[in-house]
Amino acid sequence: MDTPILHHHDPSPFAEKIRLVFGLKGLSWRSVRIPMIMPRPQLMPLTGGYRKVPVLQLGADIYCDTRLIARELERRHPEPSIFSAGSEGLALALSAWSDRAFFDPGAGLSMGLNRSMIPTEVIEDRKSFFNFMNFDQLESDIPHLFTQFRTHLDLVDRMLADGRDYVLGEGPTFADVDAYFPVWMARGNIGQAESLLGPFGHLLRWERRMQAIGNGHRTDIDATDALVVARDASPSAGRGVDRDDPLGLAAGRSVSVTPDDYGRIPVLGELVTLTLDEVAIRRSAPEVGEVVVHFPRTGYRIERAA
Ligand SMILES: N[C@@H](CCC(=O)N[C@@H](CS)C(=O)NCC(=O)O)C(=O)O
């Protein structure tokens, strides 16, 4: 079975979601540390342009977006489950809240409070990436961003207020990962995290349980070796194209797949999977040969390409 290779950088909160899934499942994985900013010349041959962090590589199959990466890891390593007690729908629905409403003010605070310490190149890179952030008023917006971030901390505290150990009950699920990763980001990036989190006692006790999960068994691998892994593997055949899909696309059609929020870089390829919850395209690059790049349907726009 392919050892999962995660392309990420250590401060990435979205990558922490997947590192926690490795922890919950006790998985061994390999880590490719990618540069903090574009260009990422050793990632692009794999993704075809998708630049968000993290990206999961399984042989010559490349999985984009934490919502799909979590599902694929669950499919390949079902035990212990991150979607126990029928929680998959609920946990993935919760991603819509934490990936944006909870994450956005936390990201604004991380940039705004630390701006003078962040290299100019990183600021410039993120200016063109985070289209939801107004960099001209980041510093003056800090009080407002605190008010927004706190409301979500309060929601997490209330999720745990009846004394339960985890968001959906006794055991950790992906719902905890959703609710936790912005808290992890705050701990790392917000100097006043202690006083910010202090009022939320249920959250603080749960945070310690989440910290104890760890990140599984990590070993490093060079980006060039990861390209060789892809080149030496054959990508999966795909799961077929749904004839009843509203887009009316046929297998083999040239399409582009683009995130509909930020980092809107289209990835081009030939359609191999189009289901209710996944789109995958086959593409090739000299460094890796043929790969299949997979995306969730939620949040991605698919268009016919020339
Ligand atoms: N919907 C995506 C969001 C990923 C995302 O926005 N990652 C950010 C923050 S870690 C990122 O790529 N930041 C810019 C960068 O690292 O280049 C997912 O769930 O994977």
Side-chain angles (χ1 to χ4, degrees):
M1 191 176 276
D2 296 311
T3 303
I5 301 177
L6 193 71
H7 297 256
H8 67 140
H9 47 72
D10 285 310
S12 162
F14 279 90
E16 182 63 11
K17 288 176 79 175
I18 301 306
R19 295 186 295 245
L20 277 170
V21 173
F22 292 141
L24 285 166
K25 290 186 172 292
L27 289 178
S28 296
W29 57 285
R30 311 190 81 183
S31 156
V32 175
R33 262 182 276 183
I34 63 170
M36 281 297 290
I37 56 172
M38 293 289 275
R40 293 175 174 144
Q42 287 165 310
L43 182 65
M44 294 304 117
L46 293 168
T47 67
Y50 180 83
R51 67 150 291 180
K52 292 188 186 181
V53 182
V55 167
L56 181 76
Q57 176 186 352
L58 295 162
D61 283 274
I62 311 302
Y63 295 86
C64 300
D65 200 293
T66 53
R67 291 165 291 188
L68 182 67
I69 295 172
R71 273 172 27 215
E72 185 61 21
L73 288 172
E74 176 80 359
R75 198 176 69 78
R76 296 191 185 217
H77 306 275
E79 295 298 334
S81 176
I82 52 168
F83 297 127
S84 52
S87 64
E88 179 167 354
L90 201 55
L92 291 171
L94 205 63
S95 296
W97 158 70
S98 64
D99 286 4
R100 297 306 314 268
F102 196 3
F103 170 76
D104 289 3
L109 286 169
S110 302
M111 298 296 283
L113 290 166
N114 300 306
R115 192 170 183 152
S116 61
M117 291 177 305
I118 301 175
T120 319
E121 314 84 76
V122 177
I123 297 281
E124 289 307 315
D125 178 85
R126 298 304 191 266
K127 260 189 194 172
S128 59
F129 175 68
F130 283 136
N131 57 9
F132 57 87
M133 230 183 253
N134 182 348
F135 279 75
D136 294 332
Q137 62 178 56
L138 257 191
E139 279 98 332
S140 60
D141 229 16
I142 284 171
H144 169 71
L145 292 170
F146 268 122
T147 67
Q148 297 307 296
F149 196 68
R150 282 193 324 174
T151 63
H152 299 290
L153 294 174
D154 183 43
L155 289 181
V156 178
D157 201 63
R158 289 171 192 229
M159 290 176 198
L160 302 159
D162 64 2
R164 62 182 66 200
D165 282 347
Y166 297 98
V167 167
L168 296 179
E170 283 173 16
T173 64
F174 195 64
D176 294 278
V177 173
D178 283 329
Y180 174 70
F181 86 96
V183 176
W184 180 89
M185 171 168 65
R187 275 278 174 218
N189 300 340
I190 300 178
Q192 301 101 308
E194 208 54 51
S195 56
L196 177 66
L197 303 177
F200 305 106
H202 302 288
L203 180 150
L204 286 175
R205 286 187 286 282
W206 162 84
E207 184 195 16
R208 282 197 285 278
R209 286 190 277 279
M210 293 304 291
Q211 285 165 340
I213 290 169
N215 289 160
H217 312 287
R218 164 179 174 163
T219 47
D220 289 336
I221 173 176
D222 276 350
T224 37
D225 292 338
L227 294 177
V228 173
V229 169
R231 203 182 58 209
D232 290 349
S234 302
S236 59
R239 291 165 54 204
V241 171
D242 176 5
R243 286 158 178 258
D244 297 327
D245 189 274
L247 296 181
L249 295 166
R253 185 83 176 73
S254 289
V255 295
S256 65
V257 183
T258 315
D260 69 2
D261 48 7
Y262 53 94
R264 290 187 195 167
I265 300 169
V267 181
L268 295 167
E270 283 173 15
L271 196 61
V272 295
T273 299
L274 191 69
T275 65
L276 193 64
D277 59 6
E278 184 182 334
V279 53
I281 54 179
R282 188 185 302 120
R283 52 181 318 286
S284 61
E287 300 88 334
V288 291
E290 212 164 73
V291 293
V292 168
V293 191
H294 305 249
F295 304 87
R297 291 296 295 269
T298 310
Y300 289 79
R301 178 173 281 275
I302 305 166
E303 283 173 332
R304 290 176 166 79

